[in-house]
Amino acid sequence: MHIRCFVIFFFMLFPGFLFAQRVKITGIVSDPSGLPVELASVQERGTINGTFTDEKGKYSLQVSTKDSLTLVFSCLGYNTTQVNLPVPEKDAVLNVRMRMETYDLEGVVVTANAFQANTMEKINTKQMRLSVDATGGSIESRIITAGIGVSSTNELSSQYSVRGGNYNENIVYVNGIEVYRPLLIRNAQQEGMSFINPDLAESVRFSSGGFDARYGDKMSSVLDVIYKTPEKLEGGVMGSMLGGNIYLGSVAGKFSQITGFRYKRGTTLLKTLDTKGDYNPLVMDVQTYMNYSFTPKVSLSFMGNYSDNVYDFNPSTRETSFGTMDAPRKFMVYYDGKERDRFRTLFGAAILKYAISEHANISLQLSALQSREEETYDIAGEYWISNVLEQGEENIGTGLFHQHARDFLNAEVFNASIVGDLGIEQHAVHWSLGVQKELIKDRNNEWELRDSAGYSLPFDEKILTMYSNLLSMNRIESNRYSGHIQDTYKFRIKEGMLYLTAGIRGSYWDYNKEFVFSPRVSVGFIPSKYSNITLRFATGLYYQTPFYKELRVIETNEDNNSVVVLNKNIKSQRSIHFVLGGDYGFKFDNRIFKFTAEMYYKKLDNLIPYTVDNVKVWYYGANTSNGYATGIDTKLFGQFVQGTDSWIGLSLMQAKQYIDGVKVSMPTDQLYNFTFFFTEMYKRFQANVRIIWAAGLPFSVPGYKYKAGLTAPPYRRVDFGISYCLLGENDMDSRNPIGNYFRNIWIGGDIFNLFDIKNVSSYSWFTDVNGYRNAVPDRLTGRQINVKLIVEF
């Protein structure tokens, strides 16, 4: 009895002998600029006790009370940081800023790419202004080389395809709001600029497949961009032969704003096309992002955009050589007429956010889009097709054509959503509910007349027939309802750290009365013994709900005219993703590298067949096919030259579909895609090379859909750029009073298409005297020099 009382009394006085007292240490791990560091390891030295930071850089770690302890913070691309501290008697906050493992060369900071526990990869957009880019500088251009599984075969366009999908299968978010591109765009020359202003972007994340349920109803990829919230006065100006842009960010008490203006011409680049004439494109865009904090818990942000894209073109002549070495041919055209297109977009979004607690917040998102699109042209031409012989040219076809279009489209999209985040222990829950109203009015009148040897084509002795025509007058008003919930659960086991994200997404469209349900799950694993390795797997259902293009069905009426009707029985296309991949980080010769590889298989159902003409996707308006896309994507990031970031990628893919029981290639079936981006610094000079070598895409004879099985030549392009730092951040001691106002000043030059390889974007078809249809290639731009000046303050 006495012994029992003694034992009870002993443990009452000294409970630590039985249960070690534990406290919680929390904090945020950030880089030198204050941005959160994701997937940083936080380890109690000498133990297996540890955790990883989340996407906001936050961590939470339970530790035992001791006289003192050492926390070790490590992450690829950063110097390991150790913090010695006495353990407090109660919970404590410890924020850490990690120093990047970098080289600072005349104001250019070089960093490594971080690991990713899911399929969303962070895209490094630093020093994008110095990179060679024929589009004039765009986030999408960086995605094409830095993203995994991404392909583009048109340097005039910011559009891209991902793992066998077309341009319309990629969803883009800016500050959590989905953004759209014009619907009538037919050629890349008309496109102008993408919505995203790279000067305003703070973070860019991209997924080529297997993305979370929080991202909407597209089948291929998601691009998630967050704009800056300035903490001090900043700005920059850039001007080149392609155009210019300026941005300014400022802070005044509880209010902050960043505004950018962009201007693009691109006339010099368009003049290298085969078709000569008076090109007069003019694109202007102004964009702003404002924030106001009413209280520490309540804030209001606004994002606005107005863009005006005018494309005027008066063609004069065209000369295109085609055929083979044994049978060379030439296509010559003399034009009369003009084209005028205009695309105007007005967009606004407001987000009211309330932080319920440190781990929970809710926001109301309202957005509205108005798009006014016009495409008008009347172009007549007289053409000759000739055999090129040693003794001269032999005319084998001649004719006239007249192309006419009066196309108008008005679109209005209104969206209201409630979005929430909730953190519970090791869980991060994200959810949303939303409704969207769409109103689209479409009026098209297109026709083409062809005359060969005095006969209209196709020939009919009784009536004058058109080579092609299209009439459309449609109006659609509909509502969409959507919602999702997902949970990311992080936990540590003896073997390492596991990230599990599972979610469901549902949406309903009242136009076709269809409800779709999309479960999605992904798993990420970082081994304890090999923290430089990350493994991941993702799968789920991804539906492409029809918007407007997919609804259009071309029918022939009693007057033999082609008219567009809308298919109310259309269903969502479906893709089942299976993605397995990982990252491996290593050092070689004291330089940081990361190798990324992903294998994927996409089972495609309820497909709506389509063809691609330049950058326009023509759907056939019915769910009549199914197919698959499978392949492997690899990418090596690192310092190929010490102190600079470069990357090289290789993708292999097969994308097939079954139409009427016949297996055919999809229009985006691309056997291989090789990309290379190389940067080198020498004193004040920075040079970069951008290389794309991709397999040619399938195409077919008009009227045969995909049965012809023809393949375009490979897309090969090399761009080279070099810049010189006139004034850098390291010149502070030697600056004069005027120079103190500037952070960096660069002057540079680019050579687009260094080897003057004119790639093919599409084909025009003309018939010769023997009745053969000739595929005349519509070639892209040639070699062009660009000069640019960049000023940052």
Side-chain angles (χ1 to χ4, degrees), residues 103-110 642-644 681-683 730 746:
Y103 298 87
D104 193 349
L105 303 174
E106 299 297 341
V108 178
V109 177
V110 180
Q642 186 163 305
T644 59
M681 282 289 300
Y682 178 73
K683 295 184 177 179
N730 293 339
W746 292 81

Side-chain angles (χ1 to χ4, degrees), residues 591-593 636-642 644-648 676-679:
R591 289 173 284 166
I592 303 170
F593 292 89
L636 177 64
F637 299 88
Q639 299 175 12
F640 296 179
V641 174
Q642 186 163 305
T644 59
D645 285 341
S646 303
W647 49 85
I648 184 171
F676 180 47
F677 186 85
F678 175 79
T679 305

Side-chain angles (χ1 to χ4, degrees), residues 253-296:
K254 297 181 179 181
F255 175 78
S256 68
Q257 68 81 33
I258 186 167
T259 302
F261 172 78
R262 293 181 292 172
Y263 165 84
K264 183 178 178 181
R265 289 298 300 261
T267 303
T268 56
L269 195 61
L270 295 178
K271 286 183 177 180
T272 66
L273 296 170
D274 282 354
T275 301
K276 307 302 179 183
D278 183 14
Y279 289 92
N280 189 26
L282 178 59
V283 188
M284 292 185 294
D285 166 277
V286 62
Q287 215 165 130
T288 187
Y289 179 54
M290 303 178 181
N291 287 274
Y292 185 82
S293 297
F294 295 98
T295 69

Side-chain angles (χ1 to χ4, degrees), residues 361-382:
N361 61 74
I362 189 171
S363 60
L364 173 64
Q365 299 180 352
L366 303 173
S367 66
L369 167 74
Q370 183 184 74
S371 181
R372 297 289 184 263
E373 305 177 26
E374 305 171 11
E375 184 182 52
T376 62
Y377 55 82
D378 269 293
I379 298 176
E382 185 175 358

Side-chain angles (χ1 to χ4, degrees), residues 38 385 412 425 572:
E38 184 181 4
I385 304 175
E412 296 176 356
E425 296 295 332
S572 297

Side-chain angles (χ1 to χ4, degrees), residues 43-49 66 69-72 82:
Q43 191 91 13
E44 183 181 356
R45 193 175 70 179
T47 72
I48 62 170
N49 184 33
K66 304 176 184 176
L69 63 82
T70 300
L71 293 185
V72 181
Q82 297 190 21

